[in-house]
Amino acid sequence: VEGYVECTQPSTPLSSSVMLQRRMDIEVHLRKAISKRELKLVYQPVVDISTSVVVGLECLLRWDNPDFGDVPPTEFISIAEESGLIHEIGEWVLREACQQNQKWRKAGLPPMFVAVNLSRKQFNDCRLSMTIAAILEETGLDPKYLELEITESLSVDARLAADALGKLKKLGLRIAMDDFGTGYSSLGYLRDLPVDKVKIDKSFIKDLQHGHVNAVIVSTMLSMAKQLNLSVVAEGVETEEELQVLREYGCRFVQGYYYSKPVEVCLIEQMLFQLA
Ligand code: C2E
Ligand code: CA
Ligand code: CA
Ligand code: CA
């Protein structure tokens, strides 16, 4: 087809072995990252556009290693998943996020939820709900202020996934479907799984002008979510125009650079205390 040129990059033995070496080096360093306190969480606000109130914060993992610099989360998380390190790292993230949110509550900030990304590997671990129950107990965080973000590629078996989500929801927390609209079976997941919220993928939150396919998709997602009683967050909101269109479509909650990038604890605290 004209216009579609297949890019076949010849992977020379050299380049692939360099990549493999980097992966292995990263894995070795990642193993020590928790104990060396190299991991940290940054937080990005989820804002109610009708009031400008920050209703929640998504925590996103960062790893600053002296040898590699800032490794992008997508890169080191996939290595963590393959090596099994994701269990330890994921548990650290959950504990850290719950602890932090509880601290903010105690410091007198208005209640907000904290949203934690779950990897599929964590989700498929049958001990997950026990681990989370223990973390909630230990930190004292009310489970209604914890949200778990799952992606659409959870598990092939919808029944198993529904059971696992049911167990998690019994703890009193909420489940959000992340990157909504990008998977191949988004609607099937919505039908089969007890989710509370969808996060419209940021690839849809651009070119929202009237008549564009994204505008049609986003407004349809919003009306569907409303009829299904699901809460919606639009991700990747970067401009005033995007915000305007979303407002017209009746979208209430947004997240994106327009309000704030994901930022470190001290900065997000400044922001929250100023707003409070
Ligand atoms: P995600 O969960 O979809 O997170 C949203 C990503 O979009 C973040 O990238 C965030 O920085 C970025 N983003 C937020 N607002 C905007 C915007 O307005 N415009 C654009 N262009 N981007 C925006 P980040 O932090 O690099 O994370 C990438 C992915 O890594 C996450 O995607 C998530 O899948 C994964 N990830 C990050 N932290 C964790 C974690 O603690 N556990 C797990 N399992 N995955 C994580
Ligand atoms: Ca997410
Ligand atoms: Ca997302
Ligand atoms: Ca955007």
Side-chain angles (χ1 to χ4, degrees), residues 39-76:
L39 296 179
K40 68 175 180 218
L41 295 180
V42 289
Y43 293 86
Q44 186 178 38
V46 176
V47 179
D48 180 339
I49 54 178
S50 64
T51 56
S52 294
V53 167
V54 175
V55 292
L57 298 161
E58 176 176 3
C59 73
L60 293 151
L61 193 53
R62 295 292 180 263
W63 178 32
D64 190 9
N65 179 270
D67 298 318
F68 294 101
D70 283 322
V71 188
T74 44
E75 183 179 7
F76 71 80

Side-chain angles (χ1 to χ4, degrees), residues 16-58:
S16 67
S17 80
V18 165
M19 269 156 55
L20 196 65
Q21 188 60 49
R22 175 174 161 92
R23 251 187 125 74
M24 282 173 4
D25 288 347
I26 286 182
E27 188 184 322
V28 168
H29 286 82
L30 197 52
R31 271 184 200 285
K32 297 179 236 156
I34 296 183
S35 58
K36 289 172 112 180
R37 297 174 181 273
E38 290 171 359
L39 296 179
K40 68 175 180 218
L41 295 180
V42 289
Y43 293 86
Q44 186 178 38
V46 176
V47 179
D48 180 339
I49 54 178
S50 64
T51 56
S52 294
V53 167
V54 175
V55 292
L57 298 161
E58 176 176 3

Side-chain angles (χ1 to χ4, degrees), residues 108-125:
L109 284 172
M112 301 162 296
F113 66 82
V114 67
V116 177
N117 292 285
L118 268 198
S119 127
R120 177 165 47 135
K121 278 267 174 74
Q122 283 174 280
F123 183 77
N124 290 335
D125 177 358

